[in-house]
Amino acid sequence: VQLQASGGGLVQAGGSLRLSCAASGSTFSTYIMGWFRQAPGKEREFVATVSRSGSNTYYTDSVKGRFTISRDNGKSTVYLQMNSLKPEDTAVYYCAADFSWMATTVTRDQNEYDYWGQGTLVTVSS
């Protein structure tokens, strides 16, 4: 599966952005989807994940209540709605796909993900 992330940009603290990740080349609904981010000088970290069916989600603590992950299997797209952005959210954001036989499973382990998008830069100014 090929993944194309978009929607990044420059936003002031407290603002919002919605990232999109369009998939092609395979059956989107067979993949757990995740968002990860890598800030300058830091390792890539988990942000959010959504199950194949969209019924289950999981977030890292620092974004709970501010970010929402969702998916539209009909459009083969996963979204990350980011509200109340903070300067520490500045990073390159990557979407990733993990093939799964289970409809409700989620995973935060980036080693489980098989396919990665190219990343989109989010910059939050203070």
Side-chain angles (χ1 to χ4, degrees):
V1 62
Q2 291 80 46
L3 303 174
Q4 180 72 38
S6 61
L10 174 63
V11 64
Q12 289 188 333
S16 298
L17 281 175
R18 188 175 83 154
L19 305 183
S20 300
C21 176
S24 62
S26 189
T27 305
F28 180 71
S29 61
T30 62
Y31 293 89
I32 299 167
M33 297 301 297
W35 285 98
F36 295 79
R37 67 186 179 186
Q38 186 167 20
K42 296 187 177 181
E43 294 186 351
R44 188 167 59 190
E45 66 174 358
F46 166 76
V47 176
T49 179
V50 60
S51 62
R52 286 176 43 188
S53 64
S55 61
N56 287 345
T57 58
Y58 185 78
Y59 300 89
T60 193
D61 286 346
S62 62
V63 308
K64 285 180 181 177
R66 300 189 298 121
F67 291 11
T68 302
I69 188 171
S70 62
R71 66 189 296 161
D72 185 335
N73 286 343
K75 295 182 178 180
S76 298
T77 302
V78 62
Y79 305 97
L80 186 68
Q81 178 66 45
M82 307 185 294
N83 299 327
S84 302
L85 283 160
K86 304 175 180 180
E88 52 263 43
D89 294 319
T90 295
V92 176
Y93 283 72
Y94 299 90
C95 58
D98 172 26
F99 177 82
S100 176
W101 295 106
M102 307 298 291
T104 58
T105 300
V106 293
T107 179
R108 62 179 297 166
D109 183 355
Q110 56 185 299
N111 293 317
E112 296 288 326
Y113 286 83
D114 308 301
Y115 304 96
W116 292 82
Q118 86 289 0
T120 185
L121 176 62
V122 172
T123 304
V124 185
S125 63
S126 58

